[in-house]
Amino acid sequence: MSAALRFSSRMNIKFNNVTKKYGIIVAVSQITFEVKSGEFVFIAGPSGAGKTTLLRLILSQTKPTSGTLEIGNVDLGQSKKHQLEKIRKKIGVIYQDYQLIPDKTIEENIALALDIVSYPKKNLHHQIDEVIRKVNLTTRRFLYPSQLSGGELQRASLARALAIDPAIILADEPTGNLDLENTWRLIKLLKDINQTTKTTIIMTTHNSDIIDSLDKRVIFLRDGMVEKEINHQQKQ
Ligand SMILES: Nc1ncnc2c1ncn2[C@@H]1O[C@H](COP(=O)(O)OP(=O)(O)O)[C@@H](O)[C@H]1O
Ligand SMILES: [Mg+2]
């Protein structure tokens, strides 16, 4: 088993009574749930429910006001910068607005992500080949983001997230700007990645068609709180 896999098998995510306030605004309140390595989980809920805040907490972009958040048994609130960086390097993220760098080609965008995680230089080209092939963008490799369609941009951004061999992929409303065809294409890719590589996937969405189509665990948020949870897989 590779070192990457051994590490990923320990990367359960555990929210324990987490509250995050911005001043007097309560973004999320008393959240408790655990996502096990290899799970595919939707975080659903209307705009303002606290979905993005949960992802930002996982990324250590913001800290809980109270409660604890552990990833792989590391308490993010108590850990040193180098520990947080190590965890951060195992998390790939995709966003509704793609967040690709406009003056870099698709290949250069991916190379930059690999550079940030100090990916071994000798494997760089092979890895870029692999992820670009996986998302079916071989013919777009040397193009700039402005030359791609929305669906292609999101697949490029997924390739960038995959390049670092993530243990966890966070997808924040990744289909928000996509048409139906590209929405389903992306969902299929995420589902295949989860199945074949056992990468944990946490995807936020307010699209109930997507949630209904997949039979995955769904955590519904409302006003920063867990309103209900559906776990199709447990029922089987
Ligand atoms: N940086 C911030 N400063 C102040 N309030 C924020 C900040 N980020 C989020 N919020 C508030 O927290 C709540 C949850 O936001 P968010 O997590 O972005 O929800 P969602 O992603 O479900 O739309 C909202 O009321 C939002 O206005
Ligand atoms: Mg959001």
Side-chain angles (χ1 to χ4, degrees):
M1 191 188 277
S2 73
L5 258 175
R6 268 201 309 277
F7 189 50
S8 72
S9 65
R10 289 189 278 114
M11 289 197 62
N12 294 351
I13 301 167
K14 208 167 164 181
F15 283 82
N16 183 19
N17 210 18
V18 170
T19 294
K20 173 68 196 177
K21 295 183 189 171
Y22 293 100
I24 57 160
I25 297 170
V26 182
V28 295
S29 177
Q30 299 183 313
I31 298 286
T32 299
F33 66 84
E34 179 168 5
V35 176
K36 294 256 163 57
S37 266
E39 268 195 90
F40 190 131
V41 182
F42 288 114
I43 309 279
S47 179
K51 303 181 296 296
T52 297
T53 301
L54 285 190
L55 302 191
R56 295 192 66 226
L57 286 161
I58 294 171
L59 289 164
S60 292
Q61 288 174 349
T62 188
K63 287 207 183 305
T65 308
S66 61
T68 57
L69 172 52
E70 288 173 33
I71 299 186
N73 292 329
V74 173
D75 181 342
L76 299 189
Q78 300 295 321
S79 32
K80 302 229 157 51
K81 205 171 157 214
H82 77 270
Q83 277 176 306
L84 293 180
E85 274 168 9
K86 195 172 161 200
I87 291 171
R88 180 63 189 85
K89 285 179 178 180
K90 295 305 292 178
I91 307 177
V93 195
I94 64 173
Y95 300 95
Q96 177 168 359
D97 61 355
Y98 323 120
Q99 301 202 9
L100 293 158
I101 295 169
D103 62 356
K104 289 190 184 295
T105 64
I106 299 312
E107 176 183 72
E108 289 165 348
N109 266 279
I110 298 169
L112 183 66
L114 289 169
D115 194 38
I116 290 168
V117 299
S118 314
Y119 201 86
K121 287 257 186 304
K122 66 174 175 31
N123 300 341
L124 205 80
H125 264 272
H126 175 70
Q127 182 70 347
I128 296 174
D129 285 348
E130 278 281 295
V131 293
I132 285 188
R133 193 186 43 74
K134 219 175 225 174
V135 301
N136 212 344
L137 281 182
T138 313
T139 58
R140 307 290 189 271
R141 180 170 182 150
F142 303 110
L143 297 182
Y144 290 88
S146 63
Q147 298 172 298
L148 269 58
S149 71
E152 290 167 344
L153 287 168
Q154 194 54 292
R155 298 208 309 282
S157 122
L158 179 58
R160 178 180 59 181
L162 286 175
I164 61 165
D165 290 330
I168 299 165
I169 292 176
L170 304 180
D172 197 1
E173 308 229 22
T175 62
N177 285 322
L178 301 183
D179 60 25
L180 267 182
E181 187 191 330
N182 282 296
T183 292
W184 294 116
R185 196 167 171 178
L186 183 77
I187 295 298
K188 184 175 183 317
L189 266 172
L190 289 172
K191 197 175 143 213
D192 289 350
I193 290 160
N194 172 252
Q195 261 167 10
T196 54
T197 64
K198 302 294 171 220
T199 308
T200 306
I201 297 186
I202 302 181
M203 171 172 160
T204 72
T205 184
H206 56 249
N207 183 332
S208 50
D209 289 342
I210 295 176
I211 293 167
D212 294 344
S213 75
L214 278 200
D215 262 17
K216 301 290 184 194
R217 181 175 169 202
V218 192
I219 294 167
F220 291 89
L221 291 185
R222 182 174 292 276
D223 299 331
M225 289 180 281
V226 176
E227 182 184 42
K228 62 176 172 172
E229 187 174 331
I230 296 178
N231 197 339
H232 297 279
Q233 275 151 351
Q234 251 174 21
K235 274 192 284 181
Q236 287 164 5

